[in-house]
Amino acid sequence: MTSIVIPAHNEGRVIGRLLDALLADTPVSGPDIVVVCNGCTDDTARVAGARGPRVRVVEIPTPSKHTALRVGDEHARGFPRLYVDADVVVGAADVRALVAALAGSPDLLAAAPGRDVPLAGCAWPVRAYYRVWQRLPAVREGLFGRGVIAVSESGHARIAALPPLMADDLAASQAFGPGERRVVEAARVVVHPPRTWSDLVRRRIRAATSSAEFERFQASRRDGSPTATATSTPEQATAAPSARTGTADLRALLRERPQLLPGVVVFVVAALAARRGARKAIRNQDFSTWLRDESSRQG
């Protein structure tokens, strides 16, 4: 049985659209859906529970995504297993496409859907930013930034051994070699972007902070710490330390699409603002404060 684990913290405004998409056009027998409401102070549990017995709701007092994922694992019934963020939208057919990809290749341990980012209603700098971001090689090829990752039982064993990290999706993506992970473009997920510049910067500050934490983890893994050797293969130990974008990536993009120059300028400004905003958190090793944008959750 395919299991879907959805960690949800105060997602009452948006979790209904995800659950409706997952439940549409599926038999009563599957998939197994577990929503872990972690530290919620809104009606997330009520909204999820109203979808009927096919959705099992677990409530925990701790507002922690990592804890919610582990609790979800304790309640999930089978594999392949999908981890889905509550604020994205992925449908039942897309879940089936991911499951089929894992079933069709024994070497494939993890898969994620293609990404659709609707930009209508976003401020023009946000639209310009995402037109660049979506074309970056690491963004196109990595499993992160999609809000959905599907793993086989062997793939699950690998990500379950990872320590709690803010950049959990980046860590999960980097835990697999190129031949072990795949973006399945036949499956799609809708990732709602922030609509305002201020919320975009907040999201990028969170990304910069979490990337710094992940790079420290990667550095300790290369140094042969016990945590590293428990979760790494030689191929992964020599992987790139992060999915940060370099100037070479932007230059290559401009050579291919010079009309994106205004967007590249916006992208660089956002990156610099995020780096500046993340300095205090990185200095204080604050890798738990989750800067959440609310404009992407406006219905």
Side-chain angles (χ1 to χ4, degrees):
M1 174 181 287
T2 300
S3 284
I4 301 173
V5 174
I6 306 171
H9 172 69
N10 289 344
E11 299 287 9
R13 284 188 290 175
V14 296
I15 195 169
R17 67 190 181 192
L18 167 62
L19 292 173
D20 289 343
L22 289 172
L23 292 169
D25 189 32
T26 57
V28 176
S29 58
D32 167 45
I33 301 175
V34 182
V35 176
V36 184
C37 302
N38 57 102
C40 290
T41 57
D42 70 349
D43 61 348
T44 300
R46 181 189 64 78
V47 173
R51 264 56 191 183
R54 292 178 56 193
V55 177
R56 292 185 290 134
V57 178
V58 179
E59 296 186 71
I60 62 174
T62 307
S64 164
K65 182 178 180 181
H66 180 79
T67 302
L69 291 171
R70 299 290 76 81
V71 170
D73 275 337
E74 293 171 3
H75 287 80
R77 292 170 177 160
F79 290 97
R81 187 163 300 170
L82 282 78
Y83 300 97
V84 182
D85 290 349
D87 60 335
V88 304
V89 180
V90 62
D94 306 297
V95 170
R96 290 193 290 269
L98 292 172
V99 170
L102 289 172
S105 176
D107 295 329
L108 189 65
L109 303 182
R115 181 196 299 110
D116 295 324
V117 183
L119 296 174
C122 296
W124 77 262
V126 176
R127 297 196 303 271
Y129 176 92
Y130 277 99
R131 288 183 185 123
V132 171
W133 182 79
Q134 292 185 84
R135 289 180 168 90
L136 297 171
V139 174
R140 292 199 313 267
E141 298 164 10
L143 305 185
F144 60 88
R146 302 171 191 274
V148 179
I149 182 169
V151 293
S152 65
E153 190 165 4
S154 297
H156 169 265
R158 189 174 294 177
I159 63 173
L162 291 169
L165 294 167
M166 184 184 289
D168 59 299
D169 58 345
L170 176 58
S173 179
Q174 294 287 81
F176 302 100
E180 298 173 323
R181 66 176 188 245
R182 181 186 305 166
V183 175
V184 181
E185 293 293 342
R188 309 302 298 178
V189 61
V190 177
V191 180
H192 292 273
R195 297 185 180 183
T196 67
W197 174 254
S198 59
D199 268 348
L200 173 63
V201 171
R202 285 172 62 84
R203 186 179 282 197
R204 300 322 302 166
I205 290 173
R206 185 181 78 211
T209 304
S210 60
S211 291
E213 180 193 27
F214 179 66
E215 287 168 0
R216 292 185 182 190
F217 163 67
Q218 287 282 68
S220 68
R221 187 164 71 172
R222 289 192 301 273
D223 290 341
S225 70
T227 300
T229 56
T231 61
S232 306
T233 67
E235 180 183 21
Q236 295 150 20
T238 58
S242 77
R244 287 186 185 271
T245 298
T247 56
D249 297 311
L250 297 177
R251 290 195 191 100
L253 184 60
L254 283 175
R255 284 194 298 270
E256 180 184 352
R257 295 176 178 267
Q259 69 272 24
L260 288 177
L261 177 59
V264 169
V265 172
V266 171
F267 184 92
V268 170
V269 171
L272 292 174
R275 187 178 304 173
R276 184 166 57 248
R279 282 175 185 164
K280 182 178 179 181
I282 295 171
R283 184 171 59 248
N284 295 336
Q285 298 190 48
D286 177 8
F287 300 119
S288 60
T289 300
W290 189 270
L291 294 180
R292 169 165 144 158
D293 70 275
E294 296 296 339
S295 60
S296 64
R297 292 171 168 83
Q298 294 176 1

